[in-house]
Amino acid sequence: MAKKSSKTDPAALPSHEILPVRAYLDVNEVELETQKMNEIAQLVRLPDGLSEAAQNARLARALDLYEGLAPTDGLEGMLAAQMVGTHHAALDCLRMAAVPGQTFASRDMNLKHAQKLMALYTQQVAALNKHRGKGQQKVTVEHVNVHAGGQAVVGNVEMGKRNGQALSKTDAIENAHSVSSSTAKQRKPIKSKRRD
């Protein structure tokens, strides 16, 4: 590999700067997009006898699925490519299970593989959502005791400022209580039926 000018030579850069890999390897956007398209195209099975138009349509659909996932970083890009491959493999298994005249064992095997791939796809969707911060949220409440005559604040208590002065924890809790009291007056009380 020929040495680049001092602009892209890693030894010429200050140690705190990170050189973009694309600049160092001299890869342009067209080459990068072509590589991405080739990677996705290799995940799609193109059966013998499929017309060129049908092959192109299948490849275009795979790229459309990838772009529809709108990956925003490297991890999402890898996961999106895997999801496209998993989706196409599951569809292939379902197609093969639908071929007439096959044995029960062959059909059963294809359906089991399709089921595994569809379960994997569901896990990939969950991983993508979790990475994007859309995963299921979990709230845990432990050991809350409020005695007769006591008061409790349910929710986040944030310290802030009032008239330019920082609020103490006590002021923040009193402020949260006054806000929750005013909203509590607007709500109807919940009646519970007690069964003994």
Side-chain angles (χ1 to χ4, degrees):
M1 178 183 283
K3 263 202 156 189
K4 301 285 175 194
S5 67
S6 63
K7 180 181 177 187
T8 57
D9 185 4
L13 292 173
S15 61
H16 67 278
E17 287 187 33
I18 298 175
L19 182 68
V21 175
R22 288 187 225 170
Y24 183 70
L25 297 176
D26 197 25
V27 176
N28 64 37
E29 289 296 317
V30 173
E31 292 168 332
L32 195 63
E33 287 297 312
T34 302
Q35 177 61 32
K36 181 175 68 174
M37 289 180 0
N38 286 334
E39 285 176 8
I40 294 168
Q42 291 168 0
L43 300 172
V44 179
R45 190 173 80 82
L46 302 172
D48 294 335
L50 204 60
S51 70
E52 187 175 340
Q55 289 180 3
N56 289 340
R58 197 174 275 199
L59 294 174
R61 177 68 178 139
L63 290 168
D64 187 46
L65 291 173
Y66 176 85
E67 294 298 326
L69 292 168
T72 58
D73 58 25
L75 179 66
E76 288 185 14
M78 291 183 289
L79 192 53
Q82 292 170 19
M83 291 171 74
V84 169
T86 302
H87 169 72
H88 278 277
L91 290 182
D92 280 342
C93 288
L94 290 173
R95 277 189 212 100
M96 288 187 280
V99 172
Q102 61 184 313
T103 66
F104 175 81
S106 177
R107 178 176 164 77
D108 186 55
M109 180 185 67
N110 284 314
L111 289 173
K112 285 180 180 176
H113 285 303
Q115 178 190 14
K116 288 178 184 178
L117 288 164
M118 289 184 288
L120 173 61
Y121 187 83
T122 302
Q123 292 171 355
Q124 290 169 327
V125 169
L128 183 61
N129 284 337
K130 184 176 180 181
H131 176 71
R132 289 178 172 173
K134 296 179 183 177
Q136 187 176 16
Q137 294 182 352
K138 179 180 171 183
V139 177
T140 304
V141 179
E142 295 181 12
H143 308 292
V144 177
N145 296 318
V146 180
H147 299 283
Q151 295 180 343
V153 176
V154 178
N156 292 335
V157 176
E158 296 179 11
M159 294 179 52
K161 291 184 177 182
R162 183 184 299 147
N163 299 329
Q165 299 289 328
L167 294 174
S168 68
K169 289 183 182 180
T170 307
D171 290 338
I173 291 173
E174 287 174 3
N175 186 42
H177 174 67
S178 65
V179 171
S180 63
S181 296
S182 64
T183 58
K185 291 175 186 174
Q186 298 170 359
R187 296 185 189 142
K188 292 182 180 179
I190 300 172
K191 295 180 182 178
S192 63
K193 294 180 182 178
R194 188 172 183 186
R195 295 182 187 176
D196 292 320

